[in-house]
Amino acid sequence: MRLTQLASAFAGALALFGLSLLVANPAAAQQKPDPQAELIAKRNAIEKELEQVAIIDRKVMVKMRDGKLMAADIYRPKGADKVPIIFVRTPYNFNFWDVKLGAPRDMTRELEAVKRGYALVEMQERGHFFSQGNYDILGMPLSDGSDELKWMSSQPWSNGKVGTTGCSSTAEWQLAVVAQSDPSLTTFNVQGFGAGVGHVGPYYEQGNWYRGGAVQMLFISWIYDYGIQNQVRPMFPGDTTQAELINASHFFDLATQMPPVDWDKAFWHLPEQDIIKAVGGPPGIFETHMPVATGGDMIARAPNDPAWYKGGLWHENMKISKPGLWFMSWFDVSVSPNLAAYNEVRRTAPKAIADQQYAVIAPVLHCAYTRATEHTMIGDLDVGDARFDYDDLVYGWFDHYLKGEDSPMLDKQPKVMYYVMGANRWKSADTWPPAGAVTQSLYFNSDGQANTLYGNGKLVAAAPETDHPDQFVYDPANPVPTFGGGGCCMGSAVKFGSYDQRPQEARNDILVYDSEPFKQGMEVSGPITVTLYVSSSAKDTDFTFKVSDVYPDGRAFNVTENIQRMRYRNGYDKPLAWMSPGQVYKVTFQPIDTSYYFRPGHKLRVDISSSNFPRFDRNLNTGGNNYDEVEGVIAHNVIHHDSQHPSEITLTVVPNAEAVVDGGARK
């Protein structure tokens, strides 16, 4: 008997066996509905409703100026003459058919847009799925974006107005395209868009690639897990007809299926430039020169490398003159450069446009806005009822700017709506930081024994007269593990959010400094800046800080964190600054923003160390390239604190803030 016949016979026997069980116990079938069948029925019903109200045009291949074809799906209302367009462009899979389920993809978003009177145009990023070409970080948005806008706005069913929306990689291309001032691009909505921001103000993160000059390792796992380095991939011939592509979409979605990787182990591989290679990934933009706008070789670039300015990142010299709706979150990868971009646009745009920039800052993880609940959990921290109707705001925004309609939702929306964690409530402001906010400094102090939470590190109102420096050993082979914080896309290697930090703070390579318990509550809303006076045995090393809220029972929930690589302490556009053993250097971290209410009886804690791995790559302390090295050296690092070396944390405090706790949530 052939294997296929054997399999068929075996399947038939199983079917008969299963049928006999159902006959013997018919109630069992009624008690256990098939969830997959229910999902398929639901998806089919949504698709059927969409077909009733929408003109559907899928797998439209749109030609770019270089001849490459980008895949688009278009949904527009039946019976409408000319309609405004909501434009979504993404590197992720939006194939209309769920190949694994054998049913339509969830078309709820498409149906909602059409019902509200919009054409929804979904386009695939260059070099992904059905779209042709080679992918670079953010594709080729300056050329592709312009070509795509001109194409869709010139369609006979378009009213000539386009608004963009999306989160993460579906948002990050937008700002640079908006800055091209295409007449059809009327407004934009960016959500969780940090990887689209290059250089703005003091931040040279270049699309979240860096923080303080240290590499943010999330891109290594993201590039692999999502098949970003997919230069060798299946593609349909360029002359495949639309009908053939639609038919083929029922059994091909061209999604990569990368073998699973245990990133908790994989991130440890040295040299860093070979991490993707070591897990069997293909060569590409991460570590190889590639025929794309920026040239690839990303891991070898410095924070101000000219290559970062050749692609699709938005930089502060790219002026924006369109109304914008900006969504950010406190536990995202890069909220501070996002806020800096928002403020830069408000500062440099014509006044009428500056007054049309609105920000919402939520207390959630990356792109988790709509997952807020009555008890929104950020890791183990309950930040209360952070729910908000984002859809109503977005559609109210588009109704106003794309249709010219009045929007009651927009009429009552403040310029800045931010969530104060700890107080667990939404607040409004006209600016960020809120008007009237003041700075307040606390100074580091100890008897030279601030190591661990059992040490004697303090935060005091004035710098101490005498220096009793705190010392610790940073071993790149034994870095402080990441535990909470803001970020995304690192698989099971990191738990993001807020957690009790006491297990970490038992390590001897963490210095712990506490304020006195607050007699009155204090709202910190705005940037936090840490300045340290340090010395080291190494030519180059990192310093990190973490701010926590210490409860009266001792629990210490992290609020925010930062890192600074010492070679860049003088600036990212300046010559590298090496250290000499024993010499004291001043280093000021880039400002990091938050909004947190420290309740009466709570304390503010700052942890100082030299690593936060794998959130950030390890400094091997050699002064070499770091990314191509396999051996590190141990650094003996020292924090100095006296009147000559006033190491301090500077907070942005809202005076006389209402001490309203667990109330005022806006739903």
Side-chain angles (χ1 to χ4, degrees), residues 23 111 516-517 564:
V23 171
L111 179 61
E516 290 295 318
Q564 182 61 49

Side-chain angles (χ1 to χ4, degrees), residues 31 40 159 189 197 200 259 291 443 601:
Q31 294 171 357
I40 290 173
N159 75 347
N189 167 227
V197 176
V200 56
Y443 295 86

Side-chain angles (χ1 to χ4, degrees), residues 220-425:
I220 300 175
S221 48
W222 181 78
I223 284 172
Y224 174 88
D225 287 341
Y226 289 94
I228 301 304
Q229 302 202 150
N230 55 357
Q231 310 300 335
V232 177
R233 62 193 182 97
M235 279 296 301
F236 293 104
D239 59 354
T240 306
T241 67
Q242 182 180 7
E244 290 172 327
L245 288 173
I246 291 173
N247 187 49
S249 297
H250 291 88
F251 36 90
F252 295 112
D253 62 9
L254 304 185
T256 55
Q257 300 291 326
M258 303 301 291
V261 168
D262 182 354
W263 288 108
D264 195 34
K265 296 179 180 178
F267 282 129
W268 287 83
H269 182 85
L270 293 175
E272 185 177 348
Q273 66 181 7
D274 289 345
I275 289 178
I276 293 178
K277 178 181 178 181
V279 298
I285 54 175
F286 172 66
E287 78 303 316
T288 304
H289 183 74
M290 299 298 296
V292 293
T294 62
D297 284 327
M298 298 179 73
I299 191 60
R301 300 179 199 167
N304 201 34
D305 192 295
W308 294 115
Y309 301 91
K310 296 178 180 178
L313 293 175
W314 176 85
H315 305 283
E316 64 182 10
N317 65 332
M318 303 167 70
K319 304 309 178 186
I320 285 179
S321 58
K322 308 284 185 179
L325 181 59
W326 310 60
F327 292 170
M328 296 161 264
S329 53
W330 294 130
F331 280 86
D332 203 346
V333 180
S334 189
V335 66
S336 293
N338 291 12
L339 281 164
Y342 171 76
N343 282 337
E344 179 69 11
V345 171
R346 293 190 73 184
R347 185 182 71 84
T348 59
K351 186 178 187 307
I353 296 298
D355 288 341
Q356 294 173 321
Q357 308 300 320
Y358 290 74
V360 178
I361 317 166
V364 295
L365 295 171
H366 181 65
C367 289
Y369 305 100
T370 59
R371 291 196 285 275
T373 65
E374 185 177 359
H375 291 280
T376 304
M377 300 300 298
I378 309 300
D380 285 341
L381 181 65
D382 185 342
V383 296
D385 190 347
R387 291 175 293 180
F388 179 73
D389 197 336
Y390 295 94
D391 283 348
D392 269 7
L393 177 57
V394 171
Y395 277 111
W397 181 270
F398 285 148
D399 287 347
H400 180 73
Y401 286 104
L402 299 183
K403 294 181 179 179
E405 297 178 358
D406 292 335
S407 172
M409 184 74 174
L410 185 58
D411 288 343
K412 62 183 180 181
Q413 187 68 20
K415 289 292 190 296
V416 179
M417 189 176 89
Y418 66 100
Y419 196 87
V420 186
M421 300 175 290
N424 298 344
R425 59 190 291 258

